[in-house]
Amino acid sequence: MTTPTTVSAGTVRDSGPSGSYPPPQAEDDVHRVLARCRDLVRPSLSAAIGRLHPWPGEMAAFSLGWCEVGGAPADGSSEGKGVRQALAVLCAEAAGAPGESAVAGAVAVELVHTFSLLHDDIMDGDGTRRQRETVWKAYGTGPAVLAGDALFALAVQTLAEAPGPHTPAAVGRLSETLSGLVRGQAEDLLFAARPWTGPEAVRTDEYRAMAELKTGTLLGCAAALGALLGGAPAGTVSALDRAGRHLGVAFQAVDDLLGIWGDPAVTGKPVHSDLRQQKKTYPVLAALAGDGPPARELAALLGSPLPLDDAGTARVAALVETCGGRVATLDEARHHLDAARACLRSVPLAPGAAREIEALLGFLLHRRM
């Protein structure tokens, strides 16, 4: 029997002896890899942001954690780790090319990711991200939409201006990715209007498909752009794209765990935040798929017209765990990380870069990116 997982200080660990997933043995190495890739991409990313009108440019820099409202430099504590740009760089290196060849692709995916967060925060009504105000809260809804639009356009422009024979194919892949992101977000928004139970309820396979579009598509694009710009053959580009998509589903599963049981000091959101917002996330959907008195009690609480208070959200969280939603979500993350590894191992890659990519995959299960 597997000991329940714990989620604290941003860490997800499976402490059970059966099917345990050991924590990364070289976490510091992963941080160094992420920092190396950020340092490589940062000058070009900063130069791209500098091309924007100063006002949306400031909002973009605020969203990236580079400045405070008004433009004063920030301390860097709210800056993201740059997983997507690191994937682009590492996949170029895995294809045998220098990381510099992927910088335009890395900048493009980072700009798209930032644009998507600005708009997602508005649509979800989230007032905080990385322990400070979101852009729409700090600057207003209209300005945040404008900044997101500016980043969207800048991403395409940046990649289209990249030199080299692979640029047209790279722009086509980015355009396809943008369409996938929109489809995924549309499904996510539509899920909110569907019931918790019955024939119209959201199934876990539907949620998985949405997560692949909303989260996996861009991670797959980052990996594929790095390989493509690095001159990799089509089979390698396709395998790395699939690896990134699996990584995205795993990423979303971990995010869903943290949305219920994460430490507010790390996530920047209140405890049980996803439950308070009645979000249809994988742990809850997996729990509702079961049968028995706990699942029926869970369905009744979620289906009540009355909002959940603190006691109600705590009870829902306990029922989700009792019904197996927490374990099922960790298993989902593990499964897709294993699938991502299988994709990586299906094609010839430069050994050093391949090891760094695999270390990054394992790091995801234990850390919130």
Side-chain angles (χ1 to χ4, degrees):
M1 179 175 170
T2 302
T3 306
T5 57
T6 60
V7 181
S8 61
T11 302
V12 181
R13 300 196 186 280
D14 176 9
S15 56
S18 175
S20 63
Y21 213 98
Q25 299 302 309
E27 188 173 303
D28 289 344
D29 289 343
V30 174
H31 284 294
R32 280 193 288 271
V33 169
L34 289 169
R36 174 176 69 83
C37 295
R38 283 198 308 273
D39 289 345
L40 178 63
V41 175
R42 177 68 176 268
S44 295
L45 181 58
S46 180
I49 296 296
R51 299 171 66 180
L52 294 173
H53 181 283
W55 191 33
E58 179 188 316
M59 287 183 275
F62 176 85
S63 180
L64 288 163
W66 296 353
C67 75
E68 304 296 346
V69 175
D75 61 11
S77 62
S78 62
E79 186 171 355
K81 290 184 170 60
V83 175
R84 291 155 189 83
Q85 55 187 285
L87 268 180
V89 171
L90 292 175
C91 286
E93 294 174 346
E100 288 80 1
S101 63
V103 166
V107 170
V109 295
E110 192 66 22
L111 293 172
V112 169
H113 176 54
T114 306
F115 131 73
S116 71
L117 295 183
L118 263 65
H119 285 191
D120 283 1
D121 287 339
I122 295 169
M123 287 182 273
D124 294 342
D126 287 338
T128 59
R129 180 177 290 278
R130 296 173 187 154
Q131 301 182 21
R132 66 175 183 166
E133 284 187 315
T134 51
V135 173
W136 74 270
K137 270 289 190 179
Y139 291 87
T141 301
V145 171
L146 177 65
D149 291 345
L151 289 166
F152 180 108
L154 182 62
V156 177
Q157 181 182 7
T158 298
L159 190 56
E161 292 175 352
H166 307 294
T167 295
V171 172
R173 186 171 287 270
L174 182 66
S175 298
E176 183 180 352
T177 296
L178 291 166
S179 296
L181 287 174
V182 171
R183 291 196 300 272
Q185 182 66 11
E187 290 298 325
D188 196 23
L189 291 173
L190 288 169
F191 285 171
R194 291 170 60 178
W196 287 104
T197 59
E200 297 301 316
V202 180
R203 304 187 307 273
T204 54
D205 62 325
E206 292 180 284
Y207 186 86
R208 185 180 301 114
M210 179 279 296
E212 181 179 340
L213 286 169
K214 184 177 176 181
T215 307
T217 299
L218 188 56
L219 284 162
C221 179
L225 284 181
L228 180 61
L229 294 171
T236 299
V237 173
S238 179
L240 292 174
D241 183 15
R242 292 196 306 274
R245 288 170 181 268
H246 282 297
L247 175 60
V249 179
F251 192 108
Q252 187 62 56
V254 173
D255 206 50
D256 287 350
L257 287 170
L258 292 164
I260 299 177
W261 295 286
D263 183 351
V266 175
T267 65
K269 296 181 180 181
V271 66
H272 302 152
S273 61
D274 281 359
L275 298 181
R276 294 176 187 278
Q277 296 181 52
Q278 295 271 301
K279 287 186 177 180
K280 291 182 173 68
T281 60
Y282 197 92
V284 181
L285 299 176
L288 288 170
D291 196 7
R296 289 193 289 272
E297 182 184 352
L298 175 62
L301 285 170
L302 292 171
S304 172
L306 300 175
L308 291 170
D309 57 15
D310 289 348
T313 54
R315 180 58 181 162
V316 167
L319 288 167
V320 170
E321 182 156 14
T322 298
C323 295
R326 194 172 183 173
V327 171
T329 305
L330 187 56
D331 286 345
E332 175 81 352
R334 283 203 199 112
H335 167 75
H336 285 281
L337 285 175
D338 287 342
R341 286 190 174 93
C343 291
L344 293 174
R345 295 168 186 175
S346 70
V347 290
L349 301 174
R355 283 194 297 271
E356 290 180 333
I357 296 169
E358 290 208 22
L360 186 60
L361 299 187
F363 184 70
L364 172 62
L365 192 66
H366 303 270
R367 284 283 186 188
R368 188 182 194 281
M369 298 298 196

